[in-house]
Amino acid sequence: MQALKVGVVGAGAMGSLFGGHLSAAGHEVWLVDIWAEHMDTIARLGLQIVEPSGDERVVRPRAVTDPQLVGPCDIVLVFVKSYHTKHAAASLAPLLVPSTVVLTLQNGLGNIDVLTEKVPRNQLMAGITGQGANILEPGRIHHAGSGETVIGELDGAVTERLQRLVDAFTGAGLPTSATTNVQGVVWAKLLVNIAINPLTAILRVRNGRLLEIPEAVEIMREAVQEGLAVASRAGVNVPLAVPWAHVLDVAVRTAANRSSMLQDVDRGRRTEIDVLSGAVVGEGSRLGLETPVNLTLARLVRCLEQLGQQR
Ligand code: KPL
């Protein structure tokens, strides 16, 4: 395997997880994040990863706050929260040469469009990941759960560079497959997130608890129906045989999770509602479709964000 130089822009829990695994597999990894304490701790002591089995290991990616220090990369993974994508995109220049691939595995809709303002479209790839991770303390993360990562070229081509990335991730213990329909894959994940994330945050419950409340299940189902109508009007082919069954299945499999949005609200932090339910509303209105359930869920989460800031 050819060792790659990998820049990870946004090295919170997920960025650190991918960077940490790739570094352990022998790639040259540079984590870049504005969180100085996390970067300094990793630079001094290494990154501690607590694996799902409870095993702990220390890996040694480079960790910096200044992207200027990194230099040109083979791959740049973008893992910032979606509301920081614009800022992250503006900081990418020192990491890029024409052969660099920039891969976003961020949640929701719209990240690709923001990145294309600064990165040529033919250098971009996108995808989703079912991996889960949390920060335990600066320099230490918990790999909470393993799931498949799916990545693809924006034009659906199956290229050599795509296969190289699939092999690098899979070889680093992050099982990954290639798709020719990355837009559909991103929408499939979006449908799960618009069903589970806002309601868990509003009701302050774990994912599985939603399924025990018939009224909550009804709201989830309506949110997904609206999302599917928008996807279909947008010409997106969502690669799920029965989307609602998939959403229920994810809720069952992640029953014990506190969704990322619930965690954000609990900490009084901004959420990714704008690229999830908010994006369905925006895309719907652009295409002449009303999405009242997603609109109400988005508004309620924005209320929670404002209440959190006043605490
Ligand atoms: O992706 C998730 C999230 O929390 O953001 C789900 C699938 C809902 C798992 O918790």
Side-chain angles (χ1 to χ4, degrees):
M1 178 208 63
Q2 180 202 348
L4 300 168
K5 178 166 173 182
V6 183
V8 180
V9 175
M14 292 297 293
S16 297
L17 179 75
F18 272 72
H21 277 78
L22 288 164
S23 165
H27 300 284
E28 179 188 342
V29 175
W30 289 73
L31 303 181
V32 186
D33 200 282
I34 51 171
W35 186 17
E37 205 185 347
H38 187 47
M39 293 300 97
D40 289 348
T41 309
I42 295 170
R44 276 187 302 112
L45 306 172
L47 169 69
Q48 292 181 47
I49 305 180
V50 182
E51 291 295 349
S53 60
D55 288 352
E56 281 200 37
R57 58 177 169 155
V58 179
V59 296
R60 296 205 161 264
R62 309 287 297 263
V64 295
T65 52
D66 180 359
Q68 300 279 356
L69 299 174
V70 179
C73 296
D74 298 308
I75 309 165
V76 175
L77 306 181
V78 180
F79 265 119
V80 293
K81 292 277 191 184
S82 50
Y83 42 83
H84 287 141
T85 306
K86 205 177 174 71
H87 181 259
S91 74
L92 289 179
L95 285 68
L96 303 184
V97 285
S99 59
T100 308
V101 172
V102 177
L103 170 66
T104 163
L105 293 175
Q106 297 163 282
N107 280 332
L109 292 188
N111 294 301
I112 295 169
D113 291 340
V114 175
L115 286 168
T116 47
E117 287 168 21
K118 299 287 177 189
V119 181
R121 208 176 156 79
N122 64 2
Q123 287 184 243
L124 275 172
M125 284 190 205
I128 56 139
T129 181
Q131 297 288 348
N134 308 302
I135 297 273
L136 296 172
E137 59 192 298
R140 190 157 185 259
I141 62 166
H142 179 216
H143 184 189
S146 222
E148 212 200 1
T149 299
V150 183
I151 60 178
E153 296 276 5
L154 301 189
D155 65 3
V158 182
T159 55
E160 217 179 297
R161 64 182 192 177
L162 174 60
Q163 197 51 49
R164 201 178 322 134
L165 260 190
V166 166
D167 292 345
F169 284 3
T170 304
L174 304 161
T176 300
S177 61
T179 178
T180 56
N181 177 16
V182 74
Q183 199 190 16
V185 166
V186 168
W187 266 90
K189 179 149 193 228
L190 178 72
L191 293 177
V192 169
N193 288 134
I194 62 172
I196 298 178
N197 294 29
L199 266 186
T200 50
I202 293 161
L203 300 174
R204 293 282 211 293
V205 295
R206 289 178 192 265
N207 298 357
R209 186 81 176 92
L210 293 179
L211 301 177
E212 297 163 8
I213 310 170
E215 295 285 324
V217 175
E218 203 46 35
I219 297 170
M220 290 167 71
R221 204 178 53 75
E222 288 170 1
V224 171
Q225 262 174 0
E226 288 180 3
L228 274 170
V230 175
S232 146
R233 180 73 66 94
V236 176
N237 167 23
V238 178
L240 295 171
V242 186
W244 175 235
H246 173 70
V247 170
L248 287 179
D249 180 54
V250 174
V252 169
R253 281 191 286 112
T254 62
N257 279 24
R258 297 172 73 255
S259 77
S260 52
M261 195 170 282
L262 172 59
Q263 294 184 43
D264 287 340
V265 164
D266 271 351
R267 291 179 192 143
R269 282 199 311 229
R270 187 166 171 191
T271 72
E272 294 194 292
I273 195 69
D274 291 347
V275 294
L276 302 177
S277 321
V280 170
V281 175
E283 200 48 12
S285 109
R286 190 177 70 82
L287 297 164
L289 280 177
E290 292 206 351
T291 50
V293 173
N294 282 283
L295 176 61
T296 304
L297 289 169
R299 283 181 168 156
L300 284 167
V301 171
R302 289 186 190 120
C303 291
L304 289 175
E305 288 180 336
Q306 287 179 40
L307 289 171
Q309 280 155 18
Q310 287 159 16
R311 267 203 312 225

